[in-house]
Amino acid sequence: MLGDQLNHAHSWYDSTDPDTLYLVVELLQETAYVRHHVQKLCAFFAAMAAFADGLREHGHAVLHLTLDQSSRYRDLPELILALCERYQVETFEYQAPDEYRLRRQLREFDMPTGVARQEYDSEHFLLPQSEFESWIKPGRHNRLESFYRRMRKRLDLLMDGDQPRGGQWNYDHDNRNKLKPADLAEIPPPRLFANDVGDIVERLERHGVDHFGRVMSELPWPVDRDQALELLDYFVATCLPRFGRFQDAMTARHEHAWSLYHSRLSFALNSKLLHPREVVDAAITAFDADDSAIDIAQVEGFVRQVIGWREYVRAVYWVNMPAYAERNQLDARRDLPAFFWTGETRMNCMRHALGQSLDWAYAHHIQRLMITGNFCLLAGIAPDQVDAWYLGIYVDAIEWVEMPNTRGMSQFADGGLIATKPYCAGGNYINKMSDYCGGCHYDVRAKTGERACPFNSLYWDFMLRHRERLATNPRIGVMYRNWDRQDEEVRSATLARARDCIDNLEKL
Ligand SMILES: Cc1cc2nc3c(=O)[nH]c(=O)nc-3n(C[C@H](O)[C@H](O)[C@H](O)COP(=O)(O)OP(=O)(O)OC[C@H]3O[C@@H](n4cnc5c(N)ncnc54)[C@H](O)[C@@H]3O)c2cc1C
């Protein structure tokens, strides 16, 4: 089992078989395909160890290798070949990896003569891979909303017959509140765990694994099924009642600003400690039990993320790989600024979004999309570098979900396979959705001059760089008419400020 295949309910484990040996292994190759946040490495390694223990307790034979035992093998195939010989293996069986890179590796290496290879489904996702092509057409945009409605009907979730409960499919417009000062007092503390990962950190050091981010000897992320279920219960009871309402909100003025009402279930889901169906069922059961405490907009917003977005990006990834990983439609080529690795920038919004990512290996969706992602998009950062950063820093980052969100939704490098228009915005949007701009070195109202918010001029620079492509988009065209109406002097001063920002990206 790979680190993201910790599905205790897999049919493999229905019965015990003394002739089956399960292999759970920490691999150097999995620490090194990008530079990783230390909490991501620790979360996966700790969850794998707990999973191996759980299998043993249920009577299965398990070989759990740490880096101390596995590091002398060059890669996963070399290790498997050695084990096939040592244990006289007749059949090598594995669950289909969700990442293209690993699936290819496991399918393609040469097996020793006489050893069979067999691939199994991971029994986790709600839409089987065999149906992808009838839901998502490769090489073109497929609407999330249509996908989502089909999933709602198929799974019979939040439905009254064939109609959506509450009369609407989507309550997105109710989910855009800013946090007012009175709301801040009510932000709940996040449910954190205190998993001892001191030995894993030592092991990473011993094997020279390159990592970054805040090292914690007590990891706050859930690493076994009990903890994952506890986090799910906590979310449903404490955060779900306001999940949708403050889903897009951002604040710097609270010690729990990094977690707000988000579930932080993505690691538990992506490592498969939790099944998506049980997660949405828990939310809907709580809604059914008391719809005066949790209204439909909150629960629908959550269900849409899990059965809509999560399954949708996976299908888009698989029908478009491997070409997807090469897409750079906007020809973005600049280097990622060094402050992405340190959080040291005078842009308050970026300092907060980066700082909390370095502290917790976590940022919520709008921070990823409209702060850090938006900055990279406007500044024209090469998508390979943006992808590598997102893949390394977040505890939940696995390529099948990271790449469509980053390269697609946030960088528009796929030319619109995920989003119909780039998610680009100036400081105004950030100011509307957060209180970041209040204490900033830069002036969010200014477009020109050296204290002007960099997002403002970079926004126009981006728009003009891609005018030919974007002007015909009905959702964007109007912006160009606004630009054309502006005074020539203001326009050239705005572009001069953008040039200054680009030339001094590292110093922003
Ligand atoms: C640039 C960028 C990169 C991202 N990279 C990842 C990634 O590597 N891994 C990842 O799991 N998510 C990624 N996302 C999606 C989303 O930001 C995270 O799923 C979410 O922030 C995880 O926090 P949470 O569990 O508190 O989510 P909540 O806000 O509580 O949402 C509930 C669940 O819905 C699912 N979900 C929500 N939005 C999405 C989405 N757009 N795509 C897929 N699933 C979604 C997740 O499983 C999440 O746990 C990315 C988004 C952007 C814009």
Side-chain angles (χ1 to χ4, degrees):
M1 282 82 61
L2 297 165
D4 65 344
Q5 296 180 333
L6 311 181
N7 175 7
H8 79 291
H10 196 280
S11 55
W12 269 2
Y13 316 125
D14 287 350
S15 57
T16 52
D17 170 6
D19 288 333
T20 298
L21 179 65
Y22 290 103
L23 173 64
V24 179
V25 54
E26 296 176 0
L27 288 165
L28 271 184
Q29 72 163 49
E30 293 310 293
T31 66
Y33 61 89
V34 287
R35 191 169 176 239
H36 280 104
H37 196 298
V38 65
Q39 289 178 42
K40 180 182 174 191
L41 296 170
C42 287
F44 276 102
F45 284 2
M48 288 158 69
F51 190 74
D53 288 346
L55 286 184
R56 271 194 213 102
E57 278 163 25
H58 283 88
H60 299 287
V62 182
L63 182 63
H64 174 224
L65 304 180
T66 69
L67 287 179
D68 292 338
Q69 294 94 37
S70 74
S71 60
R72 61 200 164 100
Y73 300 98
R74 191 181 62 237
D75 56 14
L76 182 55
E78 193 175 287
L79 170 77
I80 291 169
L81 292 177
L83 294 179
C84 281
E85 195 177 320
R86 188 186 312 160
Y87 290 96
Q88 297 294 294
V89 167
E90 286 170 11
T91 314
F92 164 60
E93 305 182 341
Y94 63 96
Q95 296 175 23
D98 293 315
E99 273 170 303
Y100 187 86
R101 172 183 65 87
L102 278 164
R103 197 176 289 188
R104 200 175 57 185
Q105 189 181 44
L106 286 187
R107 278 185 182 170
E108 290 182 3
F109 76 91
D110 290 332
M111 294 298 294
T113 349
V115 182
R117 164 171 31 208
Q118 190 163 352
E119 185 176 282
Y120 289 79
D121 192 87
S122 66
E123 300 176 12
H124 171 82
F125 290 97
L126 299 168
L127 184 67
Q129 179 132 12
S130 54
E131 292 186 47
F132 282 174
E133 301 246 344
S134 63
W135 286 61
I136 298 286
K137 299 282 167 259
R140 56 174 247 215
H141 174 71
N142 298 263
R143 287 183 68 221
L144 174 272
E145 189 61 27
S146 321
F147 179 97
Y148 167 56
R149 290 182 189 187
R150 234 174 123 183
M151 286 295 274
R152 284 266 294 275
K153 288 189 203 154
R154 176 191 176 111
L155 302 169
D156 195 19
L157 287 174
L158 290 179
M159 298 296 296
D160 271 333
D162 61 355
Q163 291 304 308
R165 273 176 75 176
Q168 273 172 239
W169 288 102
N170 186 316
Y171 292 82
D172 208 16
H173 60 272
D174 293 343
N175 293 346
R176 304 222 171 104
N177 290 31
K178 183 173 175 165
L179 287 155
K180 300 197 190 73
D183 299 320
L184 294 181
E186 293 177 18
I187 294 175
R191 175 76 185 91
L192 301 178
F193 301 92
N195 292 301
D196 182 357
V197 288
D199 58 338
I200 298 179
V201 174
E202 269 177 42
R203 207 150 61 237
L204 295 173
E205 301 298 338
R206 197 159 56 244
H207 291 276
V209 173
D210 187 18
H211 58 75
F212 67 100
R214 175 152 63 123
V215 183
M216 291 175 165
S217 58
E218 292 192 337
L219 186 78
W221 297 99
V223 297
D224 61 28
R225 179 123 175 106
D226 287 346
Q227 291 182 351
L229 288 171
E230 204 180 316
L231 186 59
L232 174 59
D233 285 350
Y234 181 80
F235 165 70
V236 168
T238 314
C239 304
L240 184 59
R242 290 182 176 186
F243 171 80
R245 190 180 316 164
F246 295 122
Q247 205 176 340
D248 289 2
M250 297 172 281
T251 177
R253 300 201 180 128
H254 199 280
E255 62 174 316
H256 309 312
W258 69 280
S259 49
L260 299 178
Y261 293 93
H262 293 277
S263 70
R264 297 181 306 106
L265 287 168
S266 47
F267 172 74
L269 275 165
N270 295 351
S271 58
K272 304 188 179 58
L273 290 173
L274 292 180
H275 192 277
R277 181 71 204 225
E278 72 184 323
V279 167
V280 289
D281 281 349
I284 294 171
T285 303
F287 167 64
D288 285 340
D290 186 0
D291 64 3
S292 62
I294 305 171
D295 68 52
I296 181 89
Q298 319 307 314
V299 74
E300 186 282 318
F302 183 69
V303 168
R304 179 162 14 104
Q305 308 308 320
V306 179
I307 71 162
W309 276 109
R310 186 167 186 267
E311 299 281 330
Y312 167 82
V313 296
R314 175 169 178 262
V316 171
Y317 172 81
W318 276 105
V319 302
N320 290 297
M321 281 298 276
Y324 200 84
E326 308 286 319
R327 302 288 295 253
N328 185 4
Q329 199 77 23
L330 299 182
D331 196 29
R333 306 205 168 268
R334 292 199 179 91
D335 287 333
L336 190 75
F339 56 71
F340 271 74
W341 305 100
T342 62
E344 285 164 20
T345 161
R346 288 176 294 182
M347 293 175 282
N348 213 18
C349 54
M350 289 287 284
R351 195 168 64 244
H352 277 279
L354 293 170
Q356 78 159 65
S357 303
L358 291 162
D359 278 351
W360 297 103
Y362 177 85
H364 71 67
H365 187 71
I366 292 300
Q367 292 174 308
R368 298 186 203 197
L369 184 66
M370 299 310 295
I371 306 292
T372 45
N374 183 25
F375 180 85
C376 292
L377 174 71
L378 300 184
I381 309 298
D384 285 352
Q385 294 189 29
V386 185
D387 257 337
W389 184 81
Y390 277 95
L391 196 52
I393 197 163
Y394 292 118
V395 69
D396 54 34
I398 305 180
E399 191 182 85
W400 65 266
V401 52
E402 174 279 324
M403 190 179 280
N405 271 297
T406 304
R407 192 171 282 257
M409 188 179 335
S410 130
Q411 300 304 295
F412 206 68
D414 65 1
L417 297 190
I418 296 259
T420 49
K421 67 172 188 64
Y423 280 93
C424 55
N428 230 351
Y429 170 87
I430 297 169
N431 199 24
K432 198 171 89 196
M433 292 314 302
S434 77
D435 50 32
Y436 288 149
C437 302
C440 189
H441 167 83
Y442 297 105
D443 179 357
V444 67
R445 286 173 308 278
K447 288 201 292 265
T448 62
E450 59 182 26
R451 293 297 281 265
C453 168
F455 281 86
N456 291 340
S457 56
L458 288 176
Y459 172 81
W460 284 115
D461 191 65
F462 169 83
M463 292 291 282
L464 296 173
R465 276 200 318 271
H466 302 292
R467 185 165 191 156
E468 210 174 310
R469 172 186 298 277
L470 301 178
T472 51
N473 184 315
R475 297 174 67 197
I476 287 199
V478 63
M479 299 310 291
Y480 290 103
R481 291 193 282 285
N482 291 345
W483 171 257
D484 292 339
R485 272 198 297 270
Q486 284 179 39
D487 199 74
E488 171 56 33
E489 228 170 274
V490 175
R491 284 188 287 169
S492 53
T494 305
L495 295 182
R497 169 63 179 148
R499 188 72 262 151
D500 180 44
C501 290
I502 298 278
D503 289 345
N504 295 288
L505 269 192
E506 295 288 352
K507 298 191 202 127
L508 292 176

